[in-house]
Amino acid sequence: MKKVYIETYGCQMNEHDSERMLAILSDNGYVQTDKPKEAEVVIVNTCSVRAKAEQKAYSSIGRYTGLKKGKPGSEKDRVVVFSGCVAQQEGKKLLGRFKGLNIVVGPSQVHRIDELVNKAKTDGTVIAVAPDKDQERFRNPVKGVHGVKAFVTIMEGCDNFCSYCTVPYLRGREVSRHARNIIDEVYALVASGVKEVVLLGQNVNSYRDNSEGRQITLYELLSALNDIKGLERIRFITSHPKDLTDELVHAFTDFQKVCPHLHLPIQSGSDRILKLMARGYTVKEYRDRIDRIRALMPDIALTSDFIVGFPSETGEDHRDTIQFIRRANYDNIFSFKYSDRRLARASTYDGKVPVQVIAGRLKELQDAQLEITRKIYGALTGTLQQVLVEGESKKQGRQQGRTAHGRIVNFSGTVPEGTVANVLIDDYSDNALYGKHITEEE
Ligand code: 5AD
Ligand code: SF4
């Protein structure tokens, strides 16, 4: 049996690209292994958003191409693939740097992985980093094993050019996938047992499909998906505060399957920094927006991203961010140390913040959020939550799932995957709720 090993870094988009590559290769007779030494095809799907992820990708590729050196037989025949955003960024150079590397493939060409592997077997090396504007880039065989939840790409690329970000350079300009293909894919997923879909794109709010003679927005797409029988939950990531329309906000109340959770990255609580980041909104505009959302849907769960230590960030900017966090009442946040990226404009900005200062600020920010998360989770103890069961939790004997708000719940019970369980919450940690399954009779 032919085997494929894959290692993935970065965002959900990358995770999904890995799933697609695996599905395509499984159509060609490959099975997945977690042992790189056993695999005929080894893929490292890389991320370039922060320097650390990029470094990890290089050391992995170094290791896997190293495995081939001077070894007889199958080791030499192994096809090593460098995919994703770092592949796009570095291109052909990678072949010079890593002897034994066979394929360099950018994010918009991963759907060609089968063809590229075959080509590498005859030609030795292949480069596929030309941007693919075509709808082809969204091709997904919807095969393989799906759990309760599946990702579905609805758009790719980004036109925003935030000054710290490499995405627009590597994933290219925004391209929306045709609504018809998205709906067909969701039907196929639901037929294979999927209950929840997560619609993916760098900037899903600017989704626009004009292929059917009229403009289909994300709101309309959600409306169509909401009608699919057997589908229970719909989420979408990532939203951009400047493109979040009032129409879209109403999707939360108009469509019963759209989950009451919104990931809306603000990045900083200082107007001066937001301007330097080229985010296109002020703190007040963002605040007004979330106030309006909460007026419509008071218990919606909000989450956000923050970058700490952007060039020239002062102690005062940082305090503004902390103050903002205290007011915003996020369920959770993702916070990152600013990472200098050569492709992004901010790498030329003055006032780089020393690493120790960044580390201290990151800790303060995370501590501020932790207090809030604990308060929100604490208030949920004693409540009954509807949990869509995803499977076993890491700790033996427990099951795991999520509430519609996106909160992870671990509980004792024996509920079939894909069903909704009533769970009485009796405890919480910093990132999950704990409870007990309540049956009808109780
Ligand atoms: N440095 C640190 N964090 C970054 N992000 C994007 N680019 C950078 C960078 N250069 C973060 C942003 C974004 C998330 C996906 O990654 O917060 O929302
Ligand atoms: Fe990067 Fe900004 Fe686009 Fe998000 S919106 S992908 S941070 S450029």
Side-chain angles (χ1 to χ4, degrees), residues 107-142:
S108 77
Q109 302 242 12
V110 293
H111 61 276
R112 292 179 52 217
I113 189 69
D114 47 343
E115 172 197 332
L116 299 174
V117 166
N118 289 335
K119 201 154 184 277
K121 282 182 182 160
T122 50
D123 299 1
T125 56
V126 189
I127 304 262
V129 291
D132 194 344
K133 267 206 170 280
D134 205 299
Q135 288 289 308
E136 261 299 288
R137 70 196 289 172
F138 298 115
R139 199 170 78 200
N140 182 11
V142 189

Coordinates of all heavy atoms in Angstrom, one line a residue, residues 107-142:
P107 N -0.2 27.6 -2.5 CA -1.6 27.3 -2.0 C -2.6 27.2 -3.1 O -3.6 26.4 -2.9 CB -1.9 28.4 -1.0 CG -0.7 29.2 -0.9 CD 0.3 28.8 -1.9
S108 N -2.5 27.9 -4.2 CA -3.6 27.9 -5.2 C -3.5 26.7 -6.1 O -4.3 26.5 -7.0 CB -3.7 29.2 -5.9 OG -2.7 29.3 -6.9
Q109 N -2.4 25.8 -5.9 CA -2.3 24.7 -6.8 C -2.3 23.4 -6.1 O -2.0 22.3 -6.8 CB -0.9 24.8 -7.6 CG -0.8 26.1 -8.3 CD -0.6 25.9 -9.8 OE1 -0.8 24.8 -10.3 NE2 -0.3 26.9 -10.6
V110 N -2.6 23.4 -4.9 CA -2.5 22.1 -4.1 C -3.5 21.1 -4.7 O -3.3 19.9 -4.5 CB -2.7 22.3 -2.6 CG1 -1.6 23.0 -2.0 CG2 -4.1 22.9 -2.3
H111 N -4.6 21.5 -5.3 CA -5.6 20.6 -5.9 C -5.0 19.7 -7.0 O -5.6 18.8 -7.5 CB -6.8 21.3 -6.4 CG -6.5 22.3 -7.5 ND1 -6.0 23.6 -7.2 CD2 -6.5 22.2 -8.8 CE1 -5.8 24.2 -8.4 NE2 -6.0 23.4 -9.4
R112 N -3.7 20.1 -7.5 CA -3.1 19.3 -8.5 C -2.1 18.3 -8.0 O -1.2 17.8 -8.7 CB -2.4 20.3 -9.5 CG -3.3 21.1 -10.3 CD -2.6 22.1 -11.2 NE -1.6 21.4 -12.0 CZ -0.4 21.9 -12.3 NH1 0.0 23.1 -11.9 NH2 0.4 21.2 -13.1
I113 N -2.1 18.1 -6.7 CA -1.1 17.3 -6.0 C -0.8 15.9 -6.7 O 0.3 15.5 -6.8 CB -1.3 17.1 -4.5 CG1 -0.1 16.5 -3.8 CG2 -2.6 16.4 -4.2 CD1 1.1 17.4 -3.7
D114 N -1.9 15.2 -7.1 CA -1.7 13.9 -7.7 C -0.9 14.0 -9.0 O 0.1 13.2 -9.2 CB -3.1 13.2 -8.0 CG -4.1 14.2 -8.7 OD1 -3.9 15.4 -8.7 OD2 -5.1 13.7 -9.3
E115 N -1.3 14.9 -9.8 CA -0.6 15.1 -11.1 C 0.9 15.6 -10.8 O 1.8 15.1 -11.5 CB -1.4 16.3 -11.8 CG -0.9 16.8 -13.0 CD -1.6 18.2 -13.3 OE1 -2.8 18.4 -12.8 OE2 -1.0 19.1 -13.9
L116 N 1.1 16.4 -9.8 CA 2.5 16.8 -9.5 C 3.3 15.7 -9.0 O 4.5 15.6 -9.4 CB 2.4 18.0 -8.5 CG 1.7 19.3 -8.9 CD1 1.6 20.2 -7.8 CD2 2.3 19.9 -10.1
V117 N 2.8 14.8 -8.2 CA 3.5 13.7 -7.7 C 3.9 12.8 -8.9 O 5.1 12.4 -8.9 CB 2.7 12.9 -6.6 CG1 3.3 11.6 -6.3 CG2 2.6 13.7 -5.3
N118 N 3.0 12.5 -9.8 CA 3.3 11.7 -10.9 C 4.4 12.3 -11.8 O 5.3 11.6 -12.3 CB 2.1 11.4 -11.8 CG 1.1 10.5 -11.0 OD1 1.6 9.7 -10.2 ND2 -0.2 10.6 -11.3
K119 N 4.3 13.6 -11.9 CA 5.3 14.3 -12.7 C 6.7 14.2 -12.1 O 7.7 14.0 -12.7 CB 4.9 15.8 -12.9 CG 5.5 16.5 -14.1 CD 4.6 17.7 -14.5 CE 5.2 18.3 -15.8 NZ 6.2 19.3 -15.5
A120 N 6.7 14.4 -10.7 CA 8.0 14.4 -10.0 C 8.6 13.0 -10.2 O 9.9 12.9 -10.2 CB 7.8 14.7 -8.6
K121 N 7.8 11.9 -10.3 CA 8.4 10.6 -10.4 C 9.1 10.4 -11.7 O 10.1 9.7 -11.8 CB 7.3 9.6 -10.3 CG 6.8 9.3 -8.8 CD 5.8 8.3 -8.7 CE 5.3 8.1 -7.3 NZ 4.0 7.5 -7.1
T122 N 8.7 11.1 -12.7 CA 9.4 11.0 -14.0 C 10.5 12.2 -14.1 O 11.6 11.9 -14.6 CB 8.5 11.1 -15.2 OG1 7.6 12.2 -15.1 CG2 7.7 9.8 -15.3
D123 N 10.1 13.4 -13.7 CA 11.0 14.5 -14.0 C 12.0 14.8 -12.8 O 12.9 15.6 -13.0 CB 10.2 15.8 -14.2 CG 9.3 15.7 -15.5 OD1 9.3 14.6 -16.1 OD2 8.6 16.7 -15.8
G124 N 11.7 14.3 -11.7 CA 12.6 14.6 -10.5 C 12.1 15.7 -9.7 O 11.9 15.6 -8.5
T125 N 12.0 16.9 -10.3 CA 11.5 18.1 -9.6 C 10.4 18.8 -10.4 O 10.4 18.8 -11.6 CB 12.7 19.1 -9.3 OG1 13.2 19.5 -10.6 CG2 13.7 18.5 -8.5
V126 N 9.5 19.4 -9.6 CA 8.4 20.2 -10.2 C 8.2 21.4 -9.4 O 8.2 21.4 -8.2 CB 7.1 19.4 -10.2 CG1 6.0 20.1 -11.0 CG2 7.3 17.9 -10.6
I127 N 7.9 22.5 -10.1 CA 7.5 23.8 -9.4 C 6.1 24.2 -9.8 O 5.8 24.2 -11.0 CB 8.4 24.9 -9.9 CG1 9.9 24.6 -9.6 CG2 8.1 26.2 -9.2 CD1 10.5 25.1 -8.4
A128 N 5.2 24.5 -8.9 CA 3.9 24.9 -9.2 C 3.5 26.1 -8.3 O 2.8 25.9 -7.3 CB 2.9 23.8 -9.1
V129 N 4.0 27.3 -8.7 CA 3.7 28.4 -7.8 C 3.0 29.5 -8.5 O 2.7 30.6 -8.0 CB 4.9 29.0 -7.1 CG1 5.4 28.0 -6.1 CG2 6.0 29.3 -8.1
A130 N 2.6 29.3 -9.8 CA 1.9 30.3 -10.6 C 0.5 30.5 -10.0 O -0.1 29.5 -9.7 CB 1.8 29.9 -12.0
P131 N 0.1 31.7 -9.7 CA -1.3 31.9 -9.1 C -2.3 31.3 -10.1 O -2.3 31.5 -11.3 CB -1.4 33.4 -8.9 CG -0.3 34.0 -9.7 CD 0.7 33.0 -10.0
D132 N -3.3 30.6 -9.5 CA -4.4 30.0 -10.3 C -5.6 30.7 -10.0 O -6.2 30.5 -8.9 CB -4.5 28.5 -9.9 CG -5.3 27.7 -10.9 OD1 -6.0 28.4 -11.7 OD2 -5.2 26.5 -10.9
K133 N -6.1 31.6 -10.9 CA -7.2 32.4 -10.6 C -8.5 31.7 -10.8 O -9.6 32.1 -10.3 CB -7.2 33.7 -11.5 CG -6.5 34.8 -10.9 CD -7.0 36.2 -11.5 CE -6.5 37.3 -10.7 NZ -7.2 37.6 -9.5
D134 N -8.4 30.6 -11.5 CA -9.5 29.9 -11.9 C -10.3 29.3 -10.7 O -9.8 29.1 -9.7 CB -8.9 28.7 -12.7 CG -9.8 28.1 -13.7 OD1 -10.9 27.6 -13.2 OD2 -9.5 28.1 -14.8
Q135 N -11.6 29.0 -11.0 CA -12.4 28.3 -10.0 C -11.8 26.9 -9.6 O -12.1 26.3 -8.6 CB -13.8 28.1 -10.5 CG -14.6 29.4 -10.5 CD -15.0 29.9 -9.1 OE1 -15.5 29.2 -8.3 NE2 -14.7 31.2 -8.9
E136 N -11.0 26.4 -10.5 CA -10.3 25.1 -10.3 C -9.6 25.0 -9.0 O -9.6 23.9 -8.4 CB -9.3 24.9 -11.4 CG -9.7 24.1 -12.6 CD -10.1 22.6 -12.1 OE1 -9.2 21.9 -11.8 OE2 -11.3 22.3 -12.2
R137 N -9.1 26.1 -8.5 CA -8.3 26.1 -7.3 C -9.1 25.6 -6.1 O -8.6 25.2 -5.1 CB -7.8 27.5 -7.0 CG -8.9 28.5 -6.6 CD -8.4 29.9 -6.6 NE -7.5 30.2 -5.6 CZ -6.9 31.4 -5.6 NH1 -7.0 32.3 -6.5 NH2 -6.0 31.6 -4.6
F138 N -10.5 25.7 -6.2 CA -11.3 25.3 -5.1 C -11.7 23.8 -5.2 O -12.5 23.3 -4.4 CB -12.6 26.1 -5.1 CG -12.4 27.6 -4.9 CD1 -12.7 28.5 -5.9 CD2 -11.9 28.0 -3.7 CE1 -12.5 29.8 -5.7 CE2 -11.7 29.4 -3.5 CZ -12.0 30.3 -4.5
R139 N -11.2 23.1 -6.2 CA -11.6 21.7 -6.4 C -11.3 20.9 -5.1 O -10.3 21.0 -4.5 CB -10.8 21.1 -7.5 CG -11.4 19.9 -8.1 CD -10.7 19.5 -9.4 NE -9.4 18.9 -9.1 CZ -8.4 18.7 -9.9 NH1 -8.5 19.3 -11.1 NH2 -7.3 18.1 -9.6
N140 N -12.3 20.1 -4.8 CA -12.2 19.3 -3.6 C -13.0 18.0 -3.8 O -14.2 18.1 -4.0 CB -12.8 20.1 -2.4 CG -12.7 19.3 -1.1 OD1 -12.0 18.3 -1.0 ND2 -13.3 19.8 0.0
P141 N -12.4 16.9 -3.7 CA -13.2 15.6 -4.0 C -14.2 15.2 -2.9 O -14.9 14.3 -3.1 CB -12.1 14.6 -4.1 CG -10.9 15.1 -3.4 CD -11.0 16.6 -3.4
V142 N -14.2 15.9 -1.8 CA -15.1 15.5 -0.7 C -15.1 14.0 -0.5 O -16.1 13.3 -0.5 CB -16.6 16.0 -0.9 CG1 -17.4 15.8 0.3 CG2 -16.6 17.4 -1.3

